[in-house]
């Protein structure tokens, strides 16, 4: 039996940094935040600093248009997502070990948390 689940979000909030720059999307179930606000450098430098398990891949080409049928593009995107998740978790642990606070949405808000603590 093939069961398909459809999920409809009735409450989605977008938080903008500028008129066309979304940095946070919130729903009842999850939040998606722009990692650049907490690590204002490339994913490559983030993985080099905080991930021994997964590094950013170099596929030898610039992807201007993501092709959902190109396995090379799919693997590249999956690796980026894995590397980002692992690196951010390790970065959060590093900040917690040194300042006893977890990452916030931005470097400034994380710094303020640490100062208050």
């Amino acid at each position: 039996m093939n069961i398909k689940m459809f999920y409809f979000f009735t409450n989605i909030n977008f938080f903008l940094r500028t008129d066309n720059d979304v940095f946070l999307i919130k729903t009842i179930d999850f939040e998606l935040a722009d990692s650049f606000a907490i690590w204002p450098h490339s994913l490559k430098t983030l993985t080099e600093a905080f991930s021994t398990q997964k590094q950013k891949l170099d596929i030898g080409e610039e992807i201007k248009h993501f092709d959902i049928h190109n396995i090379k593009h799919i693997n590249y995107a999956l690796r980026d997502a894995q590397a980002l998740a692992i690196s951010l978790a390790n970065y959060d642990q590093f900040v917690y070990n040194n300042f006893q606070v977890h990452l916030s949405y931005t470097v400034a808000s994380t710094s303020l948390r640490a100062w208050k603590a």
Side-chain angles (χ1 to χ4, degrees):
M1 178 180 224
N2 186 6
I3 299 173
K4 292 185 179 180
M5 295 181 65
F6 297 95
Y7 203 103
F8 297 100
F9 298 104
T10 57
N11 188 7
I12 300 176
N13 294 304
F14 294 87
F15 296 84
L16 301 172
R17 188 174 347 221
T18 63
D19 287 342
N20 61 356
D21 183 14
V22 175
F23 80 92
L24 179 65
I25 301 170
K26 280 187 177 186
T27 73
I28 295 168
D29 298 315
F30 63 86
E31 295 180 3
L32 296 173
D34 179 6
S35 62
F36 196 77
I38 194 66
W39 182 265
H41 307 283
S42 69
L43 178 58
K44 185 175 190 282
T45 64
L46 179 64
T47 61
E48 288 171 349
F50 292 103
S51 178
T52 57
Q53 301 97 322
K54 301 275 184 185
Q55 296 292 307
K56 176 156 180 50
L57 289 180
D58 179 9
I59 64 171
E61 64 182 89
E62 182 182 347
I63 298 177
K64 293 183 181 176
H65 301 287
F66 185 80
D67 180 358
I68 63 170
H69 304 292
N70 183 330
I71 194 68
K72 197 173 181 183
H73 288 196
I74 293 167
N75 289 337
Y76 180 76
L78 286 172
R79 172 57 78 86
D80 273 6
Q82 292 167 341
L84 178 63
I86 291 167
S87 298
L88 284 177
N90 291 341
Y91 181 32
D92 179 65
Q93 189 61 51
F94 173 82
V95 169
Y96 186 80
N97 290 345
N98 286 280
F99 303 105
Q100 290 69 53
V101 297
H102 289 285
L103 293 174
S104 188
Y105 294 120
T106 65
V107 171
S109 61
T110 303
S111 299
L112 185 59
R113 272 187 186 179
W115 177 76
K116 285 181 177 179

